[in-house]
Amino acid sequence: MSERVYTREQVTLEAVARHARVSRQTISNALNAPHRLAPDTLARAKQAIDSLGYRPNQAARSLRTSSSQLIGFRIEPTRDGINGAVLDRFLHALCEAADRHGYNVLLFAAADDAKEIEGYDDLLRRRAVDGFALAGTHPGDARTAWLAERGLPFITFGRPWGERRASHAWVDVDGAAGTAAAVDHLVEQGHRRIAFLGWPAGSGVGDDRHSGWLRAVRAHQLPTRGLAARGEDGVTTGHALATRLFQQSSPPTGLVCASDSLALGAMGAVTDRGLAAGEDVGVVGFDDTPVAVAVSPGLSSVRQPVEQAAVTLVELLAERLADATVAPAEKLIAPDLIVRPSSTRSTPSLVPSS
Amino acid sequence: MSERVYTREQVTLEAVARHARVSRQTISNALNAPHRLAPDTLARAKQAIDSLGYRPNQAARSLRTSSSQLIGFRIEPTRDGINGAVLDRFLHALCEAADRHGYNVLLFAAADDAKEIEGYDDLLRRRAVDGFALAGTHPGDARTAWLAERGLPFITFGRPWGERRASHAWVDVDGAAGTAAAVDHLVEQGHRRIAFLGWPAGSGVGDDRHSGWLRAVRAHQLPTRGLAARGEDGVTTGHALATRLFQQSSPPTGLVCASDSLALGAMGAVTDRGLAAGEDVGVVGFDDTPVAVAVSPGLSSVRQPVEQAAVTLVELLAERLADATVAPAEKLIAPDLIVRPSSTRSTPSLVPSS
DNA sequence: GGCCGTGTTCTGAACGATCAAATCGGCCAT
DNA sequence: ATGGCCGATTTGATCGTTCAGAACACGGCC
């Protein structure tokens, strides 16, 4: 890129064409269909584009091609499903992935699901976006139903919970595989009684994580009875649930948690009993939030590869936007277990008496 | 709004005009300059607009008016300054505020400050955005310098740290007022030795929060010597710094922290010494992150009114976009101290022996 | 009756790009 | 020499809106 002077006036195709002594269309082709140009013409065109710092006016291009190159995303006021730090990572990744496909992300707010649908309607009618990315699907989701009915282009980060047959394309992280991996890891560390701390039934995401624990514990032929504790998300809940589990006649030595908040509380409960997280009781959280690194001992946690999810989502959406007839794809991505001291023993071979 | 059928084809001004038996421009005026129309014509136009579900094509409007009605915002991969949960709240508020002014938010990613500047350049050349919102300014910020030099429309959430005279318009939260309020509150609770846990010097935001503590403690004629501890942000650091403070001959009974992470670690250190946070040692965090509510006892924390900051930011930006000659404004917003058990005593009158 | 002002509505042009079709020039086969 | 073909380039039309100015209708006033 040669030095370019910044000017407030728009550099138009016309101006670049004059500068290169060719026609408008030739400059347009240099950018959109370079194979059509003779090598030297292309070089001359590119040189002119570069030296004037030309970028096509997005509005003009959108008007003519009727595509805004924008992906709509509704940002929600921190709810369950995808939360806080994870949402940040996802959004960032979404923007990057979109960028690589020549898109930008248009953010909009809406107070509730109904308003959100109005938002979709408005943006589409204004032709302000080409399609949508949705995060945090939930059972009986009115938004996906509305979009799917009309055959609009959108991909969700999150499965269509509770539908027999997927009504739309989606990308999701296999939460069950995550909790199952956590169980496997704890078994490897010598634990036999492995409990689950999760959210109340009915939340899709929470049930999924619970099912992974159940499946893995059964696969290892370990006990499950009385080892699943559930409550609203939060550090306090984690503390309370773990404390209750420890009061059993044969308390668990492994704790798989549906969130880092629950895990953080559980670690507190471990310490309260004079035990050491990691050495005596293995604790694994979920989502690998910043606290997991910051806490001591470091908290093992299941990390959602949201970057990969975002990349896949954008790929699917771009494909759908290029060709409206593609079949709705479904992609399940396996999460990564990040192992830290909270679940590792200095001597893993030593099996504790239960 | 009457029932409207969703169609994939664009409803144009032309179509609405035919339907209402008026000309294009009349419909346009019905939306943009209703005062120009005779009451009955306006009614007829509105009826036609409504029954066809017409919304002006954004691209066409942008092309003609050369304004995209988009505010650019670069999302950063979690850094210091504005972080995680706070960023979410800010983004959400930004979208809502933008919406009220008829704008949407365009999100884009950039790996570093240099790439970010390229991003600004690109978006402006493409006329894809009208202006920018920036969050997380830092001393010697190349981005704001670049934008300011060219007189481009942007407002930052964050002061121009380390500049003698502000080179651009900004909105910020008065962190010093926040830590000062925390000190006042702890004094009210009967504490006399009040320490500060913060980040290493040089971070603008961190120094600001430190200065508020210093100012307030001095105003109360309380000791400061050996009571400021600094280290990288994190729960572990908070624990270590607090522990060190407690080992002094006359340890502090009040802790004002630059972040909830530090405060969380400090609370752990309090418990480790067999003391009770709240009753024996008052702890106050910063940013009122979700953990502050979730932890036990609940952590008092200084809450940044980012919603208000976003509203103000958008107002300033909208003003600037409407009239390029307005003087750059500077708005400092006072934060709120959220008091929870971690800093309150059942008997505040009882002054502890120091 | 003609003129003027005011309020309302309509017409043509423009924003800056891409699409579709026309044009140009060179080359080869007839 | 002529026609056909092909690749490279240009021309005119178009996307849907807003702007600027023209046209129109209606009263009031001299």
Side-chain angles (χ1 to χ4, degrees):
Chain A
M1 183 167 59
S2 63
E3 75 258 43
R4 304 177 317 202
V5 182
Y6 184 87
T7 48
R8 303 293 286 263
E9 308 84 48
Q10 171 88 36
V11 178
T12 71
L13 213 44
E14 192 73 49
V16 181
R18 264 200 309 276
H19 190 269
R21 306 178 161 280
V22 292
S23 71
R24 265 176 346 210
Q25 188 62 37
T26 301
I27 303 297
S28 176
N29 283 337
L31 293 169
N32 302 321
H35 62 272
R36 285 196 195 158
L37 299 190
D40 62 327
T41 317
L42 181 58
R44 201 147 39 93
K46 280 199 164 160
Q47 204 277 320
I49 289 168
D50 211 44
S51 75
L52 293 183
Y54 170 74
R55 293 278 198 295
N57 180 304
Q58 188 58 52
R61 173 176 268 191
S62 292
L63 177 58
R64 185 65 246 236
T65 63
S66 56
S67 95
S68 62
Q69 299 303 107
L70 286 173
I71 297 171
F73 183 85
R74 178 250 189 159
I75 184 162
E76 48 193 337
T78 313
R79 195 165 61 165
D80 63 319
I82 182 168
N83 62 332
V86 180
L87 177 61
D88 278 2
R89 284 172 52 213
F90 177 72
L91 264 184
H92 186 82
L94 189 69
C95 289
E96 274 202 338
D99 187 57
R100 279 194 289 277
H101 287 260
Y103 285 89
N104 279 115
V105 172
L106 180 147
L107 222 54
F108 70 104
D112 52 57
D113 278 13
K115 290 270 180 217
E116 183 171 349
I117 290 178
E118 264 183 50
Y120 292 134
D121 192 43
D122 183 56
L123 288 169
L124 286 167
R125 286 205 143 86
R126 284 164 48 204
R127 294 287 189 272
V129 298
D130 294 342
F132 296 102
L134 274 75
T137 54
H138 46 83
D141 204 314
R143 314 163 307 154
T144 53
W146 189 90
L147 289 163
E149 263 174 33
R150 290 161 179 75
L152 298 170
F154 74 104
I155 316 278
T156 63
F157 177 26
R159 274 160 275 184
W161 301 106
E163 291 180 20
R164 58 192 75 176
R165 234 167 30 77
S167 56
H168 58 81
W170 55 265
V171 175
D172 204 0
V173 171
D174 192 347
T179 44
V183 169
D184 292 349
H185 163 64
L186 289 173
V187 168
E188 232 170 66
Q189 295 289 315
H191 297 283
R192 310 296 297 164
R193 292 188 65 81
I194 298 168
F196 175 76
L197 269 65
W199 308 320
S203 78
V205 176
D207 294 352
D208 183 41
R209 294 180 187 176
H210 173 263
S211 77
W213 164 79
L214 195 64
R215 185 217 305 156
V217 170
R218 280 186 182 152
H220 288 286
Q221 301 184 305
L222 297 176
T224 61
R225 227 186 140 75
L227 289 176
R230 293 169 161 229
E232 292 300 334
D233 196 33
V235 180
T236 316
T237 310
H239 191 280
L241 293 178
T243 303
R244 214 174 61 207
L245 286 169
F246 288 145
Q247 287 164 349
Q248 297 182 345
S249 52
S250 50
T253 66
L255 300 176
V256 172
C257 309
S259 76
D260 278 1
S261 297
L262 289 175
L264 207 61
M267 275 174 73
V270 169
T271 312
D272 284 0
R273 288 183 71 86
L275 300 172
E279 217 51 58
D280 303 314
V281 180
V283 182
V284 181
F286 211 113
D287 272 352
D288 194 29
T289 54
V291 270
V293 203
V295 88
S296 174
L299 174 64
S300 297
S301 194
V302 178
R303 184 180 174 88
Q304 298 198 46
V306 288
E307 290 78 11
Q308 196 190 329
V311 167
T312 311
L313 191 155
V314 172
E315 269 170 18
L316 291 181
L317 186 55
E319 209 178 320
R320 168 63 225 287
L321 289 173
D323 173 10
T325 66
V326 291
E330 306 172 13
K331 303 256 182 183
L332 203 53
I333 303 171
D336 306 309
L337 177 64
I338 310 292
V339 176
R340 296 204 181 85
S342 78
S343 69
T344 39
R345 284 170 159 157
S346 38
T347 51
S349 53
L350 246 173
V351 176
S353 59
S354 59
Chain B
M1 183 166 62
S2 66
E3 74 258 43
R4 304 178 316 203
V5 182
Y6 186 87
T7 48
R8 303 293 285 263
E9 307 87 46
Q10 171 88 35
V11 178
T12 70
L13 214 43
E14 193 73 50
V16 181
R18 266 200 309 275
H19 190 269
R21 303 177 164 282
V22 291
S23 72
R24 263 174 347 204
Q25 189 63 38
T26 301
I27 303 297
S28 176
N29 283 336
L31 293 170
N32 302 322
H35 61 274
R36 286 198 195 158
L37 299 190
D40 62 327
T41 317
L42 181 59
R44 201 147 39 93
K46 279 199 164 160
Q47 202 279 320
I49 289 168
D50 210 44
S51 76
L52 292 183
Y54 170 74
R55 293 277 196 297
N57 180 304
Q58 188 58 51
R61 173 175 269 193
S62 293
L63 178 58
R64 183 64 246 229
T65 63
S66 56
S67 96
S68 61
Q69 300 302 108
L70 286 173
I71 296 171
F73 183 85
R74 178 248 189 160
I75 184 163
E76 48 193 337
T78 313
R79 192 165 62 165
D80 64 318
I82 182 168
N83 62 331
V86 180
L87 178 62
D88 278 2
R89 282 172 54 214
F90 177 72
L91 264 183
H92 186 81
L94 189 69
C95 289
E96 273 201 339
D99 187 57
R100 278 195 289 278
H101 287 260
Y103 285 88
N104 279 114
V105 171
L106 180 145
L107 221 55
F108 71 104
D112 52 57
D113 278 13
K115 290 269 181 216
E116 183 171 349
I117 289 177
E118 265 182 50
Y120 292 135
D121 193 42
D122 183 56
L123 289 168
L124 286 167
R125 286 206 143 87
R126 284 164 49 203
R127 296 287 189 273
V129 299
D130 294 343
F132 296 102
L134 273 76
T137 54
H138 45 83
D141 205 314
R143 314 164 305 155
T144 52
W146 190 90
L147 289 163
E149 264 174 32
R150 291 162 178 75
L152 299 170
F154 73 104
I155 315 278
T156 62
F157 177 26
R159 273 159 277 184
W161 301 106
E163 291 180 19
R164 59 192 74 177
R165 235 166 28 81
S167 56
H168 58 81
W170 55 265
V171 176
D172 203 0
V173 171
D174 192 347
T179 44
V183 170
D184 292 348
H185 162 65
L186 289 172
V187 168
E188 231 169 67
Q189 295 288 316
H191 297 283
R192 310 296 297 165
R193 291 188 67 81
I194 299 167
F196 175 75
L197 270 64
W199 309 319
S203 77
V205 176
D207 295 352
D208 183 41
R209 294 181 187 177
H210 173 265
S211 76
W213 164 79
L214 195 64
R215 184 216 306 157
V217 169
R218 280 186 182 152
H220 288 286
Q221 300 185 303
L222 298 176
T224 60
R225 229 185 138 76
L227 289 176
R230 293 169 160 230
E232 292 301 332
D233 195 34
V235 180
T236 316
T237 309
H239 191 278
L241 294 178
T243 302
R244 214 173 62 207
L245 286 169
F246 288 145
Q247 287 164 349
Q248 296 182 344
S249 52
S250 49
T253 65
L255 300 175
V256 173
C257 309
S259 77
D260 278 1
S261 297
L262 289 174
L264 207 62
M267 274 174 72
V270 169
T271 312
D272 284 0
R273 287 183 71 86
L275 300 172
E279 217 51 59
D280 302 315
V281 180
V283 182
V284 180
F286 211 111
D287 272 351
D288 193 29
T289 54
V291 270
V293 203
V295 88
S296 173
L299 174 64
S300 296
S301 195
V302 177
R303 184 179 174 88
Q304 298 197 46
V306 287
E307 290 78 10
Q308 196 190 329
V311 167
T312 310
L313 191 156
V314 172
E315 268 169 18
L316 290 181
L317 187 55
E319 208 179 320
R320 167 64 225 287
L321 289 173
D323 173 10
T325 66
V326 290
E330 306 172 14
K331 303 258 184 182
L332 204 52
I333 302 171
D336 305 309
L337 176 64
I338 310 292
V339 176
R340 296 204 182 86
S342 77
S343 69
T344 39
R345 284 170 159 158
S346 37
T347 51
S349 53
L350 247 172
V351 178
S353 58
S354 57

